Amino acid sequence: LSLPNAKGRFPAAILISGSGPQDRDETFMEHKPFAVLADHLTRNGIAVLRYDDRGVAQSTGNHNGATSLDFASDANAAFAFLQSHPKINPDAIGMVGHSEGGLIAPLAADSNAKISYLILLAGPGINTVDLMLGQQRAFANLQQVSASDINDMLMVTKDLMTTVKSASTPELAEKQIFEKLTPENMAKLQAPLEHKERIASSFLTPWYQYFIRYEPKQYFQNKSMPILAFYGELDIQVTAKENYAGLSNLLREHKDQEIVLMPKMNHMFQEAKTGAITEYRNIEQTMSPKVLKKISYWINTRF
């Protein structure tokens, strides 16, 4: 918990990390974006709570086997802690989610009407099948894979995802996934046959089986909750064009919403050249000051 060096009760932001086991700073490729964000917000009068994901660093529990819904429960536990803190304004506690965190925050808000605002950094604005197909296409284009090979790859991937999504039981999903990973389809995925079991298991975790069924349109029901969302123009993990359009459509009737497309920024909101993941480590900047300033100004304007 980072508290401003001043008297009074402060608005607060709970930081929710992206997919995979993450520490409280969302440490990735030698960058600590949540440490940078927390420092900026605290210097601007906003308290910040960040935490290690369950099963990571100082947090107990088991990350394997947990779903996005479990992580939303964790975020709401963080909210309950802040509500009882004497230095926090209980009517000004919001959630700032990055990547999968931008999916977890709406899940948390769906069961917690007391959340005051949401800020989504590269949060999903479309269903997961379309999101992951867009991601795969963007990765392949960056690697200069031919158009016909990309189409073959996407056709197999879509079939695998829709199989998991529609399967009535995990056992049925497992049976069908292994049946579909034929030598021909493995070749279309450009994966060696010995990786079949590893690829299959990636589609069959509890986390994935929940994630693939996520539909943003089922959430965001509170039309009076302030929402700020950012997308990076060069993002290849949550592609900006489709997700910006999708979230804009979902929030069109909301009273206080702003969706911002950040030119020449990647998934981490660094000012970048290509958006490639390999570029993250080589960029000195951890998070663009333009994004940091916009977030603090937006929160302080409202709370």
Side-chain angles (χ1 to χ4, degrees):
L1 177 62
S2 309
L3 292 168
N5 185 20
K7 292 180 180 180
R9 303 175 92 190
F10 307 106
I14 297 166
L15 307 190
I16 309 173
S17 66
S19 56
Q22 303 269 357
D23 68 14
R24 67 192 68 187
D25 294 331
E26 205 185 34
T27 304
F28 187 64
M29 289 197 175
E30 299 179 23
H31 287 285
K32 295 180 180 290
F34 277 8
V36 171
L37 178 56
D39 179 69
H40 172 82
L41 294 180
T42 306
R43 290 173 187 272
N44 283 275
I46 300 156
V48 180
L49 182 64
R50 60 197 199 275
Y51 53 91
D52 302 323
D53 288 354
R54 58 167 67 191
V56 177
Q58 293 182 332
S59 286
T60 58
N62 184 6
H63 197 276
N64 292 334
T67 68
S68 302
L69 194 60
D70 296 317
F71 300 136
S73 174
D74 296 344
N76 274 328
F79 180 91
F81 165 74
L82 284 182
Q83 267 214 314
S84 63
H85 196 286
K87 297 289 287 182
I88 303 298
N89 176 354
D91 298 320
I93 304 170
M95 296 191 173
V96 182
H98 177 227
S99 196
E100 188 196 354
L103 175 162
I104 293 165
L107 283 178
D110 190 54
S111 61
N112 183 356
K114 295 180 180 178
I115 293 172
S116 297
Y117 65 89
L118 296 179
I119 297 177
L120 313 177
L121 301 168
I126 55 178
N127 71 72
T128 303
V129 171
D130 291 338
L131 174 82
M132 298 306 287
L133 290 174
Q135 180 186 99
Q136 191 171 22
R137 182 182 292 279
F139 272 74
N141 280 332
L142 210 56
Q143 294 163 3
Q144 298 183 317
V145 178
S146 73
S148 62
D149 284 350
I150 290 175
N151 288 336
D152 284 346
M153 192 185 302
L154 294 180
M155 183 177 66
V156 175
T157 303
K158 185 174 184 178
D159 187 31
L160 294 170
M161 289 191 293
T162 53
T163 295
V164 174
K165 187 174 181 178
S166 61
S168 55
T169 66
E171 293 75 21
L172 181 60
E174 181 175 7
K175 177 178 181 292
Q176 292 178 334
I177 287 291
F178 273 98
E179 287 173 352
K180 289 176 183 291
L181 286 173
T182 61
E184 180 187 7
N185 282 341
M186 290 292 290
K188 288 179 179 178
L189 292 173
Q190 300 188 359
L193 273 174
E194 58 265 28
H195 289 179
K196 176 176 176 175
E197 191 162 324
R198 190 178 75 183
I199 290 172
S201 53
S202 71
F203 283 90
L204 298 169
T205 65
W207 176 84
Y208 189 86
Q209 294 197 37
Y210 184 91
F211 175 66
I212 201 65
R213 292 179 171 90
Y214 177 74
E215 294 273 358
K217 65 184 180 184
Q218 295 176 3
Y219 303 96
F220 303 105
Q221 297 304 310
N222 181 352
K223 292 181 170 51
S224 62
M225 176 188 288
I227 298 176
L228 173 65
F230 291 92
Y231 292 100
E233 178 191 29
L234 300 178
D235 192 342
I236 63 168
Q237 292 180 253
V238 178
T239 53
K241 181 182 176 182
E242 298 86 352
N243 286 278
Y244 177 93
L247 192 65
S248 297
N249 183 52
L250 286 176
L251 300 184
R252 64 188 183 279
E253 294 179 4
H254 280 242
K255 296 176 183 176
D256 183 1
Q257 55 88 2
E258 186 174 357
I259 307 171
V260 187
L261 183 64
M262 303 302 294
K264 298 182 180 178
M265 290 192 196
N266 61 21
H267 186 65
M268 305 300 288
F269 294 94
Q270 300 166 302
E271 292 163 39
K273 292 181 180 177
T274 68
I277 293 175
T278 51
E279 196 178 39
Y280 299 173
R281 188 190 305 274
N282 299 324
I283 299 174
E284 184 177 353
Q285 181 185 78
T286 295
M287 186 178 284
S288 168
K290 296 173 186 175
V291 174
L292 296 172
K293 289 174 183 175
K294 176 69 176 176
I295 292 173
S296 57
Y297 177 81
W298 188 91
I299 296 172
N300 279 324
T301 299
R302 284 155 184 77
F303 302 101

